[in-house]
Amino acid sequence: MKIAIYGYGNLGKGVECAVKYHTDCELVCVFTRRPPETVKAVSGVPVYHTDKIDEFIGKIDVLILCGGSATDLPEMTPALAEKFNVIDSFDTHARIPEHFASVDAAARKNGHAALISAGWDPGLFSISRVYSSAVLPNGADYTFWGRGVSQGHSDAIRRIDGVLDARQYTVPVPEAIEAVRAGECPILTTREKHKRECYVVAEDGADKERIEREIKTMPNYFADYDTTVTFINAEELKQNHKGLPHGGSVIRSGITGFNGENKHTIEYKLTLDSNPEFTASVLVAYARAVCRMAARGQYGCKTVLDVAPSDLSMMSADELRAKML
Amino acid sequence: MKIAIYGYGNLGKGVECAVKYHTDCELVCVFTRRPPETVKAVSGVPVYHTDKIDEFIGKIDVLILCGGSATDLPEMTPALAEKFNVIDSFDTHARIPEHFASVDAAARKNGHAALISAGWDPGLFSISRVYSSAVLPNGADYTFWGRGVSQGHSDAIRRIDGVLDARQYTVPVPEAIEAVRAGECPILTTREKHKRECYVVAEDGADKERIEREIKTMPNYFADYDTTVTFINAEELKQNHKGLPHGGSVIRSGITGFNGENKHTIEYKLTLDSNPEFTASVLVAYARAVCRMAARGQYGCKTVLDVAPSDLSMMSADELRAKML
């Protein structure tokens, strides 16, 4: 499977190193919007400017799009789906239906396969929600995120006047998780599910009280949560908060029995040292499925919910039945 | 979706009560090998002898086969797949490839869809193993079962001379689970992964020392495990061990990064009050998929690894993308 990376940030680099483990993949090249002579790919593959992309039509099985969901992917994925089989990790949940529609139309135009919103949420967590609700229709779903770094929330803190750098951790409330695991189906507010820990590097002489207040009262991002703010220096941030760990749990509990007398709990839990590298590895596994769908003539847009598990695996169907079932 | 139950034991009863929650299902009837006048269905649906099955050809969308894996299903599933769309929970892992081949040939003969080995292991656990190994190709898989009642092991104890009744619990060793969760990828012997707890009701005057010795030295079943035997009376067994709880975890940990520097752990965990009722609910969700595959002309045999998550859900594709992705 010949793949190429379109966009070379944390996620693009994650895809580049995932190829080392997904041994059926060959990385052809990396595309960047920056001047390509300023970008060196870690693995040594060629780096081209995105305006050279048309020269690769027919030479790449799947193009893995590593742009951002806010402004890049809504334009990028449909435009490129007209020319290539593509996959992205579009993660603005509320806008998935419109993104799906535009990518589907573009992919069908010239007979390509596309898959959007691969990763872990949306992605593996969505799959868990669908399986669990299908097998336990009478129940309730809970998704907890963390402990992990939220890059969007970290960025929001960095935009505050007087802040040099910041890391925000989303942390599930242990009592809430325990109640859900016990099958109690509690009704939980936003505040009862997660708390937010902020580590902030302030400019010398900055008004820390004001910064803390601005963080804690920021609507949507922090106001609805119990938020703690800890000021640290740049060295401590580098030392103790350089990684991008994340994870979380999808838990469904439901009942069966003629009188609803039996309770069942299904938990799907991820503990990730590197959010971008794990997401990238999910993208490569689904790129394999995109490649197979294209070969079967299944054109248009799909999501992880439309792909059978066997289509992600390097093993044959016979091998899967013999070893994994 | 019109379904019928073929075989009315614990699993068949589980399917009968699952229909209450899977609201797109209509249960037409139950088939039994016993004299039907001696069997009363809890929900009041008609009970017929299995020799009447041919009268229902064309009147049932999916026949849910609730026989045993040892001797029933290897004959039953292919024979009925010639006449109906069928699903079973065949769980003899080593014989899945041959069962698949015979059901596949039978189902194709007259254009039916069949699915074998639905449940949780094989079933949801298999799915978890395939997803996790596809997204973390460089890693190791562990499956732990329990704490839960193993019916096969309980039966093995009951066959010992002087034993009136017994319940055997399979219990994962906590230290082993913790090491795996921590991503340590330990190499574990059978004894290090699970232990076996046996609760035994002996005949009055039976030689308990002999019974205990026969249990602990029984090859395949107990000899390779740390096994405890506790003698209780019939009343205690009824009081404290009447349910059929089960569950377990599939855990994969793997690494990513240019130098393998990042570790990730995926855990899929089930905690079930009733093994047969949960298995039955999985069967009904996959019966929905069988029904859809048949409608699309996808004949032959499939397993849970060949079915996309969306095919299990009562929601439409649009609804799934909007609400679950």
Side-chain angles (χ1 to χ4, degrees):
Chain A
M1 171 168 69
K2 287 181 179 163
I3 64 164
I5 295 167
Y6 195 91
Y8 194 60
N10 280 335
L11 185 60
K13 286 192 185 110
V15 171
E16 188 183 13
C17 73
V19 171
K20 180 173 163 179
Y21 305 106
H22 292 262
T23 50
D24 57 343
C25 278
E26 181 198 334
L27 177 61
V28 175
C29 61
V30 166
F31 295 96
T32 178
R33 285 175 295 192
R34 289 173 277 168
E37 62 279 10
T38 67
V39 177
K40 182 146 174 39
V42 180
S43 63
V45 297
V47 179
Y48 300 104
H49 194 270
T50 49
D51 64 13
K52 297 271 187 260
I53 188 77
D54 283 3
E55 296 175 18
F56 288 83
I57 291 175
K59 295 177 184 163
I60 292 164
D61 293 320
V62 187
L63 190 59
I64 302 187
L65 309 183
C66 300
S69 295
T71 54
D72 297 339
L73 296 174
E75 303 291 324
M76 207 180 257
T77 313
L80 290 164
E82 292 191 16
K83 301 170 180 174
F84 297 91
N85 301 316
V86 297
I87 180 166
D88 76 17
S89 61
F90 184 78
D91 66 0
T92 313
H93 289 261
R95 297 187 60 196
I96 285 174
E98 59 182 294
H99 188 54
F100 178 87
S102 74
V103 175
D104 190 50
R108 287 180 192 280
K109 211 173 275 181
N110 300 310
H112 290 109
L115 191 141
I116 60 162
S117 303
W120 57 276
D121 197 1
L124 300 178
F125 272 17
S126 322
I127 289 170
S128 181
R129 287 188 283 265
V130 171
Y131 277 119
S132 299
S133 62
V135 302
L136 288 177
N138 192 344
D141 258 356
Y142 297 83
T143 301
F144 292 96
W145 296 276
R147 187 173 193 256
V149 173
S150 165
Q151 295 183 258
H153 285 75
S154 302
D155 289 343
I157 300 173
R158 280 187 209 104
R159 286 191 294 265
I160 294 175
D161 198 44
V163 171
L164 287 174
D165 205 350
R167 268 290 195 280
Q168 192 273 171
Y169 294 87
T170 303
V171 185
V173 174
E175 295 76 17
I177 292 208
E178 285 317 313
V180 169
R181 276 192 188 132
E184 292 169 16
C185 291
I187 294 166
L188 298 166
T189 62
T190 298
R191 191 178 300 273
E192 287 166 337
K193 284 183 74 186
H194 295 94
K195 51 190 179 180
R196 298 197 176 274
E197 291 176 7
C198 311
Y199 296 87
V200 181
V201 182
E203 282 172 11
D204 274 351
D207 179 351
K208 291 182 177 173
E209 266 181 46
R210 175 192 49 81
I211 291 172
E212 180 163 347
R213 196 170 55 243
E214 283 193 39
I215 294 172
K216 289 185 169 177
T217 58
M218 199 184 294
N220 303 318
Y221 284 85
F222 296 102
D224 296 336
Y225 299 85
D226 288 338
T227 301
T228 59
V229 176
T230 306
F231 289 94
I232 59 176
N233 63 42
E235 191 49 41
E236 286 171 297
L237 190 88
K238 204 177 149 191
Q239 201 71 31
N240 304 326
H241 305 281
K242 74 180 152 117
L244 292 169
H246 219 313
S249 290
V250 174
I251 308 175
R252 185 173 181 93
S253 64
I255 58 168
T256 64
F258 286 107
N259 301 302
E261 63 272 34
N262 288 313
K263 205 161 64 179
H264 310 278
T265 306
I266 304 174
E267 176 166 358
Y268 184 76
K269 184 168 189 246
L270 297 175
T271 310
L272 313 175
D273 271 0
S274 165
N275 184 355
E277 286 181 10
F278 185 80
T279 301
S281 201
V282 176
L283 278 169
V284 175
Y286 276 97
R288 184 175 296 126
V290 168
C291 197
R292 292 176 185 174
M293 290 189 293
R296 292 194 293 252
Q298 294 172 314
Y299 304 136
C301 189
K302 298 281 189 295
T303 77
V304 296
L305 304 180
D306 307 309
V307 177
S310 58
D311 256 349
L312 302 183
S313 179
M314 287 189 256
M315 292 187 196
S316 71
D318 280 344
E319 210 179 346
L320 284 171
R321 279 192 294 271
K323 293 182 183 170
M324 305 294 274
L325 199 61
Chain B
M1 171 168 72
K2 287 181 180 165
I3 64 166
I5 295 167
Y6 196 92
Y8 194 61
N10 280 334
L11 185 60
K13 285 192 185 109
V15 171
E16 187 182 16
C17 73
V19 170
K20 180 174 162 178
Y21 305 104
H22 292 261
T23 52
D24 58 343
C25 279
E26 181 198 332
L27 177 61
V28 175
C29 60
V30 165
F31 295 96
T32 178
R33 285 176 292 192
R34 290 172 277 168
E37 63 279 7
T38 67
V39 177
K40 179 144 175 40
V42 180
S43 64
V45 298
V47 178
Y48 300 105
H49 194 268
T50 49
D51 64 14
K52 297 271 186 258
I53 188 76
D54 284 4
E55 295 174 20
F56 288 82
I57 291 176
K59 295 177 186 166
I60 291 163
D61 293 320
V62 186
L63 190 60
I64 302 186
L65 309 183
C66 299
S69 295
T71 54
D72 296 340
L73 297 174
E75 303 291 323
M76 207 181 258
T77 313
L80 290 164
E82 291 191 16
K83 301 171 180 175
F84 296 92
N85 301 315
V86 296
I87 180 166
D88 76 19
S89 61
F90 184 77
D91 67 359
T92 312
H93 290 261
R95 296 187 59 196
I96 286 174
E98 60 183 293
H99 188 54
F100 179 87
S102 74
V103 176
D104 190 52
R108 287 179 193 280
K109 211 173 274 182
N110 300 309
H112 289 109
L115 192 141
I116 59 162
S117 303
W120 59 275
D121 197 0
L124 300 177
F125 272 17
S126 323
I127 289 169
S128 181
R129 286 188 283 263
V130 171
Y131 276 120
S132 299
S133 62
V135 303
L136 288 177
N138 192 344
D141 259 356
Y142 297 83
T143 301
F144 292 97
W145 296 275
R147 188 173 192 264
V149 173
S150 166
Q151 296 182 259
H153 286 74
S154 301
D155 289 343
I157 300 172
R158 280 188 210 104
R159 286 192 293 265
I160 293 175
D161 198 45
V163 171
L164 287 175
D165 205 349
R167 267 291 195 277
Q168 193 273 169
Y169 294 88
T170 302
V171 185
V173 175
E175 295 75 18
I177 291 207
E178 285 317 312
V180 169
R181 276 192 187 131
E184 292 170 16
C185 293
I187 294 166
L188 298 166
T189 62
T190 299
R191 191 178 300 274
E192 286 165 338
K193 285 184 74 185
H194 295 95
K195 51 190 180 179
R196 299 198 177 274
E197 290 176 9
C198 311
Y199 296 88
V200 181
V201 182
E203 282 172 12
D204 275 351
D207 179 351
K208 291 182 177 173
E209 264 181 51
R210 176 192 49 82
I211 291 173
E212 179 164 345
R213 194 171 54 242
E214 281 192 39
I215 294 172
K216 289 185 170 178
T217 57
M218 200 185 293
N220 302 318
Y221 284 85
F222 295 101
D224 296 335
Y225 299 85
D226 287 338
T227 301
T228 59
V229 176
T230 307
F231 289 94
I232 59 177
N233 63 43
E235 191 50 41
E236 285 172 297
L237 189 90
K238 204 177 151 193
Q239 200 72 28
N240 304 325
H241 305 281
K242 75 179 154 120
L244 292 170
H246 219 312
S249 290
V250 174
I251 308 176
R252 185 173 181 92
S253 64
I255 58 167
T256 64
F258 287 107
N259 302 302
E261 63 272 34
N262 288 313
K263 203 162 66 180
H264 310 279
T265 306
I266 304 174
E267 177 165 358
Y268 183 77
K269 184 168 189 244
L270 297 176
T271 311
L272 313 175
D273 271 359
S274 165
N275 185 356
E277 286 182 11
F278 185 80
T279 300
S281 201
V282 175
L283 278 170
V284 175
Y286 276 95
R288 185 175 296 123
V290 168
C291 198
R292 292 177 184 173
M293 291 189 293
R296 293 193 293 254
Q298 295 172 312
Y299 304 137
C301 189
K302 298 280 188 294
T303 77
V304 297
L305 304 180
D306 306 309
V307 176
S310 58
D311 256 348
L312 301 184
S313 179
M314 286 189 255
M315 293 188 196
S316 71
D318 281 344
E319 210 179 348
L320 284 171
R321 279 190 295 272
K323 294 183 182 170
M324 305 294 274
L325 199 64

